[in-house]
Amino acid sequence: MSKKKDETNVPETEPEKEAPAEETQEAAQETAPEKSEADALKEQLSEANDKYLRMLAEYDNYRRRSQKERESIYADVRADTVKKLLPVYDNLLRAVEHEPSEDVKKGMDAILTQFRSILTALGVTEIEAVGKKFDPTLHEALLHIDDEKYGEGEIVLELEKGFKLGDRVIRFSKVQVAN
């Protein structure tokens, strides 16, 4: 009988071996959701980080764009203001060229010098014309003459001064060009 008991005991030990296997499967099933949950959290973190980086890049682009717009608005307003003052400059030049009395001429020269210094302080420069080659990006040809003593496309006479603010042309020089 003891053998029978031993035989009966054998099946009892086999389920004991199966029980730890079941526990490891259950443990594996429990860790699998934890891993997938961890993966999901990592994915959410990655997405949030990507959104943050995109938002940061968009803000940086916005900041740069608005800075450029502010600078261009400032340059546009400055150029428009100078452009409105240029007829006064032209009239002062005409008055000085009209040969007024000596005292009046001295006063107008002083005013013209002051006006030029203000324009220079604002970054406005005169466009050189007479004796230069005609450049359509700087000059506007109003008259043409045929004269052998001048070269092809040479500016002979400046009818109205042109001005630049930095690289931007505020007013083109109105000139007479030799053909």
Side-chain angles (χ1 to χ4, degrees):
M1 282 206 161
S2 63
K3 287 183 181 180
K4 286 184 184 179
K5 285 184 183 178
D6 287 340
E7 288 176 11
T8 57
N9 286 341
V10 171
E12 287 178 12
T13 56
E14 287 177 13
E16 288 177 10
K17 288 181 182 177
E18 289 178 14
E22 288 176 7
E23 287 176 9
T24 56
Q25 288 176 358
E26 288 176 9
Q29 288 175 355
E30 287 178 9
T31 56
E34 287 176 10
K35 286 183 182 178
S36 64
E37 188 176 317
D39 289 341
L41 289 174
K42 285 180 183 178
E43 188 177 312
Q44 285 178 349
L45 177 64
S46 176
E47 288 174 8
N49 192 29
D50 287 344
K51 284 181 183 178
Y52 168 74
L53 290 175
R54 275 191 239 111
M55 185 78 87
L56 186 63
E58 285 179 26
Y59 174 73
D60 194 40
N61 290 339
Y62 168 76
R63 187 179 51 79
R64 287 183 191 153
R65 188 173 51 251
S66 60
Q67 177 68 23
K68 285 181 183 178
E69 286 174 2
R70 277 193 301 273
E71 289 172 2
S72 88
I73 288 172
Y74 176 71
D76 290 344
V77 168
R78 197 167 74 172
D80 287 344
T81 302
V82 169
K83 192 172 187 177
K84 290 178 182 175
L85 292 173
L86 291 179
V88 175
Y89 178 83
D90 295 334
N91 290 334
L92 281 172
L93 277 178
R94 286 184 198 108
V96 169
E97 291 171 359
H98 240 57
E99 298 181 26
S101 66
E102 198 59 37
D103 292 335
V104 173
K105 185 173 180 167
K106 284 182 184 178
M108 291 207 168
D109 280 337
I111 293 170
L112 198 56
T113 303
Q114 184 181 20
F115 202 100
R116 283 183 179 140
S117 68
I118 290 170
L119 291 177
T120 302
L122 290 172
V124 177
T125 57
E126 292 182 1
I127 297 172
E128 293 189 28
V130 177
K132 301 287 181 184
K133 186 97 170 139
F134 177 75
D135 182 1
T137 61
L138 300 174
H139 309 109
E140 181 179 346
L142 297 179
L143 301 169
H144 294 277
I145 62 165
D146 290 324
D147 197 340
E148 295 298 321
K149 63 182 179 180
Y150 298 110
E152 181 72 24
E154 185 178 339
I155 298 173
V156 178
L157 178 67
E158 184 175 43
L159 304 169
E160 191 174 73
K161 278 259 182 229
F163 293 91
K164 290 175 25 175
L165 180 60
D167 292 335
R168 180 179 177 183
V169 175
I170 296 174
R171 182 172 77 183
F172 293 92
S173 293
K174 295 179 180 163
V175 297
Q176 181 180 24
V177 182
N179 289 334

